[in-house]
Amino acid sequence: MAPMIDPALFEQLKSKIEEDASVRKELDQIIDELNQHVSFTQGILSRVHSTPRSKYAPWLAQVEDGIKKEVETVGKLASFASQYPYYKYNHKWTRTLQDAISTALLCAWLGGLSESTKPGDVGRLLTLEDVGAIFSVPVNLKDRDAFHITIEEYLLGLISVVDDLARLAVNSVTLGDNALAVQISSFIKDLHAGFQVLNLKNDILRKRVDSIKYAVKKVEDVVYDLSLRNLLPQGEGQ
Amino acid sequence: MSGVKRDWSGKLKRDGPKPAHPAPARNAFTPMFERLRDELDEHHDRRERIVKLSRDITALSKKIIFSLQRVRKIEPQLPKNIQDEVDARLAEIAKLLAALAPEIQGLNRYRYSRSLMCLEELVEALTFAHYLKTQTLIRYEDLCATVEDLTRQGIAAVATSSEDQVMTDAADGPKQADATKPDPPATVSLTQDDYLYGIFDLTGEMMRFATTTLALTGVLAGSESSTSGDEPRTILQDMHDLGSFFEMLPVGGGSRFQWEKKLEVTRQSVQKVERLGYDWIIRGSEKPKGWVPDLSALDQGPPEEDE
């Protein structure tokens, strides 16, 4: 009579599992590389807290170089990962990719990554589509199974930027750039209102969105301190 | 309903979330967020539908397994009453699979795989039924084909019943048929993980089956010794085969933790059946016909009315 387990079945399953393991290994390598570029770029970006706006130009150029490296590695990741079901491995790189998105969003907000704005012309928010264009990968794919940036990744990346900007509001005052604090305040308040438009489920996005209110409070306190002392720039505040 | 909410001055507060914040004022980003909201809603709604279908499929699969545990013998034909029960449940599952299929195509297959635990349960039911009929483990491709067939049957069943209910006018009928023809209807695909984790659970069912049959019939389930030529094989050997099968496989998909946990349960099931085999050999010959062993120490299904 037939054996309990077809010997061919075992070999087939085994080789599939081994293949899966080698895909994971390869992905780990690419993601490691991306991680290095991302944390380096984040490191340069952290100088925003001690750099006056007049000196943004040379510094943002460095940031852009870092982002260029990120873009290259994301390209590598995209072409490798697109051979496999996207959501099978997405969890492996999603955190790193969110951080990469954050660096691009913050750089652009400070006036980088653009021909039309100069460093220091703050306030530009990259859309999901803009971010996709910068990393030259598709976004929010629905019709085919390939690498792309998801809406969640974009929004989570954006929330990290909000936290960074709240910190910058404090430091910009220390640097004597009160106008920047006020601009940050109105940007964060608008974003906060934007996030309230979303219908969130009880997931990671919900948790992170809930944290925005603390950023709002932080910058509002800064603006309040400025207004108390008549330090608001002309034409701003009430 | 909780109590009535009042504000600081004692005035009644209106229902609804955050009455203090009316609709947030629109700003430059509002349109973008509204677009993203619609996209996210689509995703959340789909997941909700999948979760509901998955729960129903899981419940029906469990009922199939319960019916199969009433089988007393491995033989090519299940007893008619049990086969009827299984068929009826499968027909229901088929319809649910037909509804599920379009939701989990392409990109979405793995996107919602965590909400698709029902497939493991279905694998467990189908592999168990296959084992009881053939005493073999169904191959992955064959099981995939079975599930695809089921989905197609479900699609056909849903189509005919909706034709019965809705009196479509003559103009609509043929047009719909044309529209569905070029695209073969979407079916539910099993991943290798669904298969492997389903088989992990199968070992538990086999252990329960071995225990019950030995207790009630006094024979360790297996092939009839009358099978010409070949040596008869008992469920104990099959359990050993499955045990070694999993021990030899590299740690498969999903998390290592989950895999090891399942493997440990399988090891225990194998050992329980080993103990049964021992008892059967050592005491089986001494035992007077019709004697029922003390079952209190053995893992067994719920008490059953036997014919």
Side-chain angles (χ1 to χ4, degrees), chain B residues 167-184:
Chain B
M167 294 289 284
T168 45
D169 43 329
D172 261 12
K175 215 194 276 172
Q176 271 183 335
D178 278 351
T180 50
K181 242 178 201 167
D183 265 344

Side-chain angles (χ1 to χ4, degrees), chain B residues 39 75 100-101 140 153 162 164 180 205 221 249 279 297-298 303:
Chain B
E39 297 277 343
E75 54 188 349
L100 184 62
Y140 174 52
Q153 284 166 26
S162 68
D164 290 347
T180 50
E205 296 309 326
L249 272 183
D279 283 349
L298 295 173

